[in-house]
Amino acid sequence: MVKSAKRVLMLTGTLTNGKSTSIKELLWRTDPKSLLDAGFTHQSGLIEWASRFGKLEKVVQVDEGDEGVITRRKKTGAQVKEAPGIAPQLTAQFLLHKSGFIELKDLGLPLVELKEIPVFLDMDPDHAANYSRFHNNLFDTCARISRVSGAAGVWSKFNPATINYGDRPDLGARVAFESDFVSAPKLYEAGQQLHAKERWLIDIVKKELSEKRRCTIFNNYTGNYGMNERLYEILTDNGIRCKILNESNTDLRQERLAELEADEIPVIITNMKLVEVGLDMMYWPTIIYYQLNYEVSTVRQSSRRAWRIGQDRECRVYYPIYNGTQQMKQFIHIMNGRGHALMVEGRLDSSELAQYSRDSQSALASDLASCFATSDVAQSWTSLAAKDLGDIEMVEEGKFKDVLSDRMRALGDETLRLCGVVDIAAFRAAKELRQVQSVPANVPDETVVVEEQADSSLFDFDFQSFGIEKAFPGTNIVKPEKPEIHYDPEIVVAITKYKKQRGKKEPAEDQLCWNF
C-alpha cells in the first residue's frame, strides 16, 4: 500500500508503548530507507535496535564460590531483555520531521472531568502470610532453576501465579517444574467468603450505582483463572445486576454493547483486550481495573473507552492494587512505561521522567521487598495521569452541558467566518427566518405533508439538465436521446480449490461485475 501511493497519511491513537521496539517495524514498513541509512537491515533484531534507541536489562546472579580469581565469586549471566525506555535520538532521527501530534484540545472542545484513582489495599492477615510464603518460595525456585539451567522461561510462570493468588486465593496455587513444584493452599473456604479486594469491589460498585453511574470492570486473566465468572458470581450474590462481555467476533462486539445498553445493564465485566480500541462505552462512565495488563498501550487505550467527545458524565478510573504483592510491581512497571511513552509524544520533558520511573525496580518478576509502594507512588501516578491529559480543557459535570453549548456556537461562528460570512448575526437571523417560512401554514400538527416526485432520485437536483433552465430562464436545453446500451454481466469468481482457514471468511463464488 505504501509503495503504491504517492503520499501516505497514517493515523494512530497510541504511537508507542514505552519501549523503543514498538515503533521499529512500523518504520521499517513505511520508511525503510531511513533505517538502512542508519545501518539497519531486515535481519536486524530487536535487541540490536534497543541497544541503540532503547534500554536493555540483564540480571546477573552472583554466588559465593571458589571460581573467581580475586573476588572468589561466580557470576552467571541471564537472558537480555528490553525494559521501558526510549532514547531521545529515536524521536529526533525518525519521528520529529514526519509526525504531528494532534490532541483533543486542538478541536477546541472541552471534555468532562476524568479522574484516575489508584487504591492500594492490604490483604487480610492469613491471606498476606500465605501469599508472602508462596511469593518468596516461587521466586527462589525460579531463580535457582534459571541459574542452574540457564532457562529464562521458568519466569513466565511467576507473574500469572503470584498475581492470581492475590485475586483468586480460593483456587489455591500450584506451579510445577520438571523436578519441583511450589504450591499455596486454598483460602476463604474455597470462595464462600470474600477477600479484601472483592469486598472493596462490591462497596465501590454499590457507591457508583447509588450515584446513577454505571460501571465497567476490566480483568486480564479470564481463561483458566475464571476471573470474569468469579466477579459475576459475587456481584450477583450481592444483588448487583451485571453481564459478561466475551464476544470474540470484533465485528459483532459493538452490536453486543448496544444490546447491553438497550437492556440497561448497569455493570459489565470483560477482558480489557476486547475493548482496547475502536469502541465507545460512554454508557458506563466508571471503569474499574480489577486486574492490569503489562502492555502499557492496552491499559492506556482501554481506560479511555468512556471518556470521549459526547460524554457528559464525569469519568472515573479506579486501580485497586494489593500492596506488597506482584500487583504493585506490575503497577509501577506500567507507570514507568507510560512515562516513556509520554516523553515520545512530547507531553513529558526528559528532566521530569525520573520522578515517574523506578528503573532500579524495572524487572517484571521481583522479590517481595520491592513490591511495597512508597508514599509517593499514588501521587506520582496521579501527576502522570495529568500529564497524559495534556492541556485538554476539562469541565466539571454540573457545568459541562452549558459550557459545551457555548463552545459549539463559537466554533460554528468561526466556521462561518472562515467561509466568508461577514455579518454572522444577520446570517443566523436570516436562517431562522427561512426555517419559520418553510413551515406550511394552517396545517394540523398531525397532518403529514408529502411532496410527490415525478421521478425519484438520489440527488437533490435535476440530473438531466443540472437545473440550468431554473437558474437562467429561457435557456433551451437540447436533451439527446439516450442510446440503448446493454451490459452483460461477467462471472469473475469461480472457486476451483479452497481450503478453509480459521478466522478467515470464505470467498463468495459466482460474483458478478459489469464492464462499463
Side-chain angles (χ1 to χ4, degrees), residues 208-412:
E208 294 294 308
L209 294 180
S210 69
E211 300 177 20
K212 301 186 184 305
R213 300 179 53 81
R214 294 167 290 271
C215 305
T216 299
I217 303 174
F218 285 146
N219 286 313
N220 186 43
Y221 296 97
T222 54
N224 294 335
Y225 291 99
M227 286 305 310
N228 285 347
E229 290 74 16
R230 172 61 180 173
L231 297 190
Y232 176 83
E233 177 186 352
I234 65 173
L235 291 174
T236 303
D237 289 345
N238 283 269
I240 299 173
R241 185 165 168 248
C242 58
K243 290 287 186 181
I244 296 175
L245 173 66
N246 54 9
E247 178 59 63
S248 59
N249 189 326
T250 55
D251 296 332
L252 300 178
R253 207 167 289 153
Q254 189 63 61
E255 295 181 17
R256 178 62 174 150
L257 284 172
E259 293 173 1
L260 295 175
E261 182 177 344
D263 293 340
E264 298 182 350
I265 302 299
V267 179
I268 59 174
I269 308 167
T270 187
N271 190 311
M272 69 190 79
K273 293 288 289 184
L274 296 181
V275 298
E276 64 176 311
V277 292
L279 294 177
D280 290 331
M281 303 179 67
M282 293 187 291
Y283 188 73
W284 300 271
T286 294
I287 291 176
I288 302 171
Y289 280 90
Y290 195 80
Q291 290 186 321
L292 288 171
N293 187 297
Y294 274 102
E295 296 181 24
V296 178
S297 57
T298 297
V299 176
R300 291 183 69 194
Q301 291 176 337
S302 59
S303 67
R304 299 297 186 259
R305 294 304 95 203
W307 191 65
R308 308 171 76 80
I309 293 177
Q311 176 64 270
D312 58 7
R313 299 295 308 275
E314 176 187 279
C315 293
R316 301 170 188 168
V317 183
Y318 291 95
Y319 301 91
I321 308 294
Y322 264 140
N323 198 8
T325 71
Q326 188 64 24
Q327 293 181 15
M328 179 58 67
K329 192 63 186 181
Q330 184 184 42
F331 181 78
I332 293 174
H333 174 82
I334 293 171
M335 182 170 67
N336 187 18
R338 188 179 187 182
H340 283 283
L342 292 180
M343 186 181 70
V344 172
E345 296 167 13
R347 282 181 272 181
L348 186 66
D349 190 82
S350 58
S351 61
E352 301 175 284
L353 188 61
Q355 61 181 306
Y356 306 114
S357 300
R358 303 295 190 273
D359 292 337
S360 61
Q361 304 176 10
S362 59
L364 296 186
S366 302
D367 60 343
L368 200 60
S370 63
C371 293
F372 287 89
T374 57
S375 58
D376 65 330
V377 170
Q379 178 59 38
S380 296
W381 179 275
T382 304
S383 177
L384 189 62
K387 294 285 185 180
D388 202 348
L389 300 179
D391 299 324
I392 297 174
E393 180 185 0
M394 292 191 292
V395 181
E396 64 181 48
E397 183 178 330
K399 303 178 181 178
F400 178 73
K401 289 185 177 181
D402 293 336
V403 173
L404 181 63
S405 178
D406 294 340
R407 198 62 53 83
M408 290 292 291
R409 186 178 182 88
L411 282 176

Side-chain angles (χ1 to χ4, degrees), residues 138-196:
L138 184 59
F139 184 88
D140 294 341
T141 302
C142 290
R144 174 172 51 80
I145 295 176
S146 177
R147 184 169 59 251
V148 173
S149 65
V154 297
W155 290 105
S156 63
K157 303 178 180 180
F158 183 86
N159 290 340
T162 51
I163 288 174
N164 284 288
Y165 191 57
D167 290 336
R168 291 298 309 267
D170 56 295
L171 296 179
R174 190 179 190 277
V175 181
F177 302 97
E178 289 186 1
S179 59
D180 202 354
F181 71 91
V182 180
S183 63
K186 296 181 180 180
L187 303 176
Y188 296 95
E189 298 182 4
Q192 298 301 313
Q193 298 179 355
L194 305 180
H195 58 84

